[in-house]
Amino acid sequence: MDEINALRDVLAAGRRMVFFGGAGVSTESGIPDFRSASGLYRREESAYSPEEMLHHDFFMQYQPQFYEYYFNNLVHPAAQPNDAHRVLASLEAAGNLAAVVTQNVDGLHQQAGSRTVAELHGSVRRNYCMNCGAFHSLEEMLSQRPTVPVCRECGSVVKPDVVLYGETLHDETVCEAIGHIRQADVLIIGGTSLSVYPAAGLIEYFNGDTLVLINRDATTYDRAAQLIIRGKIGETLQKAWSKAYS
Ligand code: OAD
Ligand code: ZN
């Protein structure tokens, strides 16, 4: 309870806050994370590892197999935002959160109402034709399942705007994220193992005085945090937020 009160004080202090998150933010929406005991990378379902199947070269060579894995594991069209997404959106609306920086590709922050979201690894909701660049919605992609999605304009293969292994992050998104993190007084990190670079390295730009970590498992940045909460992130944020704003 003391931890929740401490988090309430941070949320209520009205300082410049930024949230940095990962897959753990969406597990309470029913989307599995990658590295937990029940995470995607612990399942053995195929001759290839998930990291191999989510690699740029695999996409280029084996599009049917890539899309089968991708649609079955990375795309969750029925998932709804949970308390973590909702509280973060409310904090932004109240003028207390400058931005969400996320490694997630599910678009749930925006669905919950967050406006300033830097999606370091892209989004399943944006898809572009590899030949003519035409935009395709997630619904257009799903409607072509189980075949490889092709462009309605030119018939070429459409690629999700998701950063695969072997691809670089979008410069503008990285710059935007660094800008937000640099200017923050308070950085709340949650639902991420902080083990994937360069994304995790961006928190090194934090120059403020209050680092809060809300994560089920330990991370390598725990020692740098002023407040560590080992709870479920949706539940934790909701409890602290309702105390701060009631
Ligand atoms: P990970 O699966 O590596 O880490 C998720 C973390 O969230 C773990 O440390 C869990 O303990 C924690 N967690 C899970 N559910 C939680 C909950 N309800 N409350 C609090 N903590 C919870 O996921 P990421 O760090 O996001 O890249 O992984 C980074 C990148 O690796 C992903 O963006 C993805 C993957 O390869 C791409 O897809 C490009
Ligand atoms: Zn096209």
Side-chain angles (χ1 to χ4, degrees):
M1 221 41 187
D2 283 354
E3 289 169 341
I4 299 293
N5 288 336
L7 181 58
R8 172 204 60 196
D9 293 347
V10 171
L11 300 186
R15 305 181 67 226
R16 197 180 168 88
M17 285 195 288
V18 166
F19 180 81
F20 181 96
V25 172
S26 293
T27 54
E28 286 161 79
S29 295
I31 300 179
D33 65 9
F34 297 94
R35 294 174 186 79
S36 287
S38 56
L40 279 186
Y41 292 177
R42 302 289 180 95
R43 301 177 189 172
E44 278 181 30
E45 285 167 0
S46 142
Y48 299 100
S49 72
E51 287 95 332
E52 281 173 307
M53 286 188 282
L54 294 174
H55 195 283
H56 176 81
D57 296 344
F58 191 89
F59 173 83
M60 297 305 284
Q61 254 187 323
Y62 305 110
Q63 276 154 357
Q65 290 92 331
F66 169 87
Y67 268 113
E68 190 189 348
Y69 183 80
Y70 174 79
F71 281 134
N72 285 336
N73 295 284
L74 264 76
V75 179
H76 303 272
Q80 294 298 315
N82 64 53
D83 280 342
H85 302 104
R86 281 191 285 271
V87 169
L88 292 166
S90 302
L91 284 167
E92 183 185 20
N96 286 338
L97 185 82
V100 168
V101 177
T102 184
Q103 299 162 85
N104 296 349
V105 296
D106 54 35
L108 289 180
H109 284 294
Q110 291 91 331
Q111 200 175 319
S114 284
R115 288 162 175 273
T116 310
V117 184
E119 296 175 306
L120 293 172
H121 292 158
S123 173
V124 300
R125 301 192 186 205
R126 293 186 299 270
N127 306 276
Y128 297 98
C129 169
M130 294 179 77
N131 177 47
C132 76
F135 172 90
H136 292 73
S137 67
L138 179 58
E139 290 66 34
E140 285 174 281
M141 301 289 278
L142 286 167
S143 70
Q144 299 190 51
R145 225 176 149 178
T147 52
V148 171
V150 291
C151 178
R152 84 185 93 73
E153 307 289 339
C154 76
S156 299
V157 171
V158 178
K159 184 177 180 298
D161 185 14
V162 167
V163 180
L164 302 176
Y165 287 98
E167 294 179 348
T168 50
L169 276 58
H170 298 316
D171 274 349
E172 327 79 74
T173 315
V174 172
C175 287
E176 190 198 337
I178 290 174
H180 291 308
I181 292 169
R182 262 199 179 130
Q183 288 171 30
D185 301 315
V186 178
L187 183 65
I188 303 178
I189 299 175
T192 172
S193 61
L194 293 173
S195 58
V196 173
Y197 287 80
L202 299 187
I203 66 174
E204 298 281 355
Y205 288 95
F206 177 57
N207 217 357
D209 51 38
T210 308
L211 181 68
V212 178
L213 250 161
I214 310 170
N215 208 59
R216 230 169 35 197
D217 295 308
T219 77
T220 48
Y221 282 88
D222 285 5
R223 65 191 145 62
Q226 276 68 49
L227 175 62
I228 301 181
I229 303 182
R230 285 265 172 272
K232 283 171 123 181
I233 189 159
E235 236 175 71
T236 303
L237 281 173
Q238 171 58 34
K239 278 189 200 155
W241 183 79
S242 60
K243 284 185 160 209
Y245 291 84
S246 57

